[in-house]
Amino acid sequence: MNLETNQICQLALPGVRALIPYQPGKPMSELERELGLSKIIKLASNENPKGPSQKVVSSMQTVLAEVSRYPDGNGFSLKTALAQHLAVEATQITLGNGSNDVLEIIARTFVSESSEVIFSEYAFAVYPIVTQAIGAQAVISKASVGGEYPCYGHDLSAMLKQVTEKTKLVFIANPNNPTGTFLTSEQLYGFLSSLPKQVLCVLDEAYFEYVRPEDRSNSVAWLTRFPNLIITRTFSKAYGLAGMRIGYSVSSSEVADLLNRVRQPFNTNIVALSAAEAALADIDYLSETIALNEHGMGQLTTAFSELGLSWIPSRGNFITVDFGRSAMPIYEELLAAGVIVRPIANYGLLNFLRISIGTEAENLFFINALTRILD
Ligand SMILES: *Cc1c(COP(=O)(O)O)cnc(C)c1O
């Protein structure tokens, strides 16, 4: 970099310069280009292995004829369907170009350079990005390995102790990514009851649908008691729409009104809006997804025990495995065998790989490759 360019880069916010870019799962097309493999499976981005619902595909095809028009910037139809689904008012919902978009809108609405934002060391990589991109201070909370709460997740009491006068926002992912850990309803409710009223809590429930109904928090019902709560969910995971980019938040109507002022006017597109509405209505697809995931989780954990590997118990559609040594060489060998999984060294978890649960055949292909590599 020459001197002038370097000076220009120095103008960027210090938090931005300190950021490590988000590392997505390796695209299949990239591995195909690099290694010329004919068979590649991707278990790296917690996508739905079933592919999209047929009803979703038809609804998208129908709206293709309308793409010369701007979308409904207020997403009336999808919000109405979501409001009914969640038993809230449509005014409580904020739509985003993926829930990541909503996470960013929340940070830009509430957080300034003088603010602190708390999240766990092993929580979703997008939290530091949206925090540091606006120059706010990221306060990283240690996970409680061996503590009161499950290892590798959120130590809620430690997080509470980190709240200061500057704290504006706390991010909690439940189930957590990349570790799959889970906080019970009691734990979360207790946390929210202790959190000072002027601190927002973003409860990121991207994997909500994978949690057994009897274990789920009734978080949406808590909104009346906790005006500082914002829940985010997505169509990217169980609903099978990662490539469409659509997610949402549920909050008080007043908070949603603020988010709406910051949101780009047309942040969700016509095709995604229609796809999400069709996905929400396709109950069979969702239950097949959950059944497939449970089956795959059993298939993978059985194989891991047979291979003498330990893993972090997961409530999501992925599982994080401990190899007890640097996982990078294993990741590379899996790539060479045509299997893309996710290294999570960027979280400091050097010995771990995160495996998204695939179809039965994909899981088997992965297990066979891993068995050969570990032999
Ligand atoms: C996958 C994921 C999301 C979803 O992001 P989208 O932008 O909706 O695709 C959000 N939070 C967590 C913790 C995730 O793992």
Side-chain angles (χ1 to χ4, degrees):
M1 206 186 310
N2 66 35
L3 195 61
E4 284 85 356
T5 310
N6 190 37
Q7 278 169 343
I8 291 296
C9 292
Q10 294 297 321
L11 297 176
L13 298 177
V16 171
R17 281 185 278 136
L19 268 177
I20 300 161
Y22 182 81
Q23 293 164 332
K26 196 180 187 64
M28 292 159 83
S29 52
E30 190 177 304
L31 186 64
E32 204 174 324
R33 270 199 311 276
E34 288 173 2
L35 299 183
L37 293 172
S38 56
K39 172 154 183 175
I40 292 174
I41 63 162
K42 185 180 174 213
L43 304 175
S45 302
N46 302 345
E47 295 143 339
N48 191 322
K50 271 173 66 62
S53 124
Q54 268 319 303
K55 289 181 182 154
V56 164
V57 173
S58 318
S59 90
M60 293 194 291
Q61 278 161 345
T62 314
V63 293
L64 287 180
E66 294 166 38
V67 295
S68 53
R69 299 285 177 195
Y70 277 103
D72 171 5
N74 287 318
F76 175 82
S77 188
L78 176 58
K79 279 194 199 173
T80 305
L82 278 169
Q84 195 180 5
H85 178 72
L86 300 166
V88 297
E89 300 296 327
T91 50
Q92 294 179 255
I93 293 164
T94 306
L95 300 177
N97 185 31
S99 57
N100 285 341
D101 183 30
V102 188
L103 296 175
E104 186 180 30
I105 294 169
I106 294 167
R108 290 176 55 227
T109 303
F110 290 100
V111 179
S112 66
E113 279 190 46
S114 57
S115 315
E116 292 175 353
V117 175
I118 303 175
F119 48 84
S120 164
E121 61 180 324
Y122 300 138
F124 193 35
V126 168
Y127 308 154
I129 294 176
V130 302
T131 301
Q132 288 171 237
I134 46 183
Q137 190 63 41
V139 176
I140 295 166
S141 181
K142 284 274 173 208
S144 64
V145 177
E148 181 183 356
Y149 293 108
C151 309
Y152 305 111
H154 298 76
D155 184 340
L156 294 180
S157 36
M159 291 179 102
L160 279 175
K161 289 193 195 108
Q162 287 172 297
V163 172
T164 70
E165 275 165 19
K166 290 184 177 171
T167 309
K168 275 282 177 64
L169 191 66
V170 182
F171 283 110
I172 303 225
N174 198 46
N176 187 37
N177 175 21
T179 60
T181 54
F182 182 69
L183 295 160
T184 65
S185 197
E186 291 70 33
Q187 288 170 330
L188 277 175
Y189 195 87
F191 173 79
L192 288 168
S193 308
S194 307
L195 189 68
K197 295 281 162 281
Q198 73 280 10
V199 178
L200 285 150
C201 177
V202 173
L203 181 59
D204 178 345
E205 296 188 326
Y207 302 96
F208 178 81
E209 296 80 12
Y210 292 103
V211 178
R212 294 225 172 98
E214 63 271 25
D215 295 337
R216 288 178 191 164
S217 301
N218 197 358
S219 49
V220 172
W222 298 346
L223 287 167
T224 47
R225 160 99 204 263
F226 302 110
N228 54 340
L229 175 63
I230 306 176
I231 298 154
T232 59
R233 294 196 190 156
T234 183
F235 287 95
S236 296
K237 306 287 159 58
Y239 289 102
L241 291 178
M244 283 316 301
R245 314 304 305 126
I246 185 140
Y248 61 94
S249 70
V250 202
S251 63
S252 69
S253 299
E254 291 78 5
V255 164
D257 176 44
L258 291 167
L259 300 180
N260 194 45
R261 298 177 200 192
V262 172
R263 179 180 69 77
Q264 293 287 326
F266 303 107
N267 63 330
T268 54
N269 69 76
I270 285 186
V271 186
L273 287 167
S274 162
E277 203 179 327
L280 196 62
D282 195 346
I283 300 162
D284 293 340
Y285 176 86
L286 191 63
S287 41
E288 287 160 21
T289 292
I290 290 158
L292 183 70
N293 192 63
E294 278 188 19
H295 178 76
M297 184 72 86
Q299 195 185 356
L300 289 182
T301 51
T302 304
F304 295 149
S305 355
E306 283 168 10
L307 291 167
L309 298 170
S310 51
W311 63 88
I312 305 172
S314 168
R315 299 294 192 102
N317 63 342
F318 57 91
I319 183 155
T320 294
V321 189
D322 186 357
F323 290 93
R325 62 182 163 103
S326 173
M328 228 34 207
I330 299 164
Y331 167 71
E332 298 288 349
E333 285 191 66
L334 282 168
L335 282 183
V339 184
I340 310 173
V341 298
R342 191 71 158 265
I344 47 173
N346 54 323
Y347 293 90
L349 294 167
L350 301 167
N351 294 352
F352 294 76
L353 292 175
R354 192 194 69 190
I355 324 294
S356 305
I357 291 163
T359 60
E360 185 170 359
E362 288 171 335
N363 297 334
L364 192 62
F365 189 82
F366 158 72
I367 292 165
N368 288 340
L370 184 65
T371 307
R372 282 197 306 276
I373 290 164
L374 295 180
D375 254 356

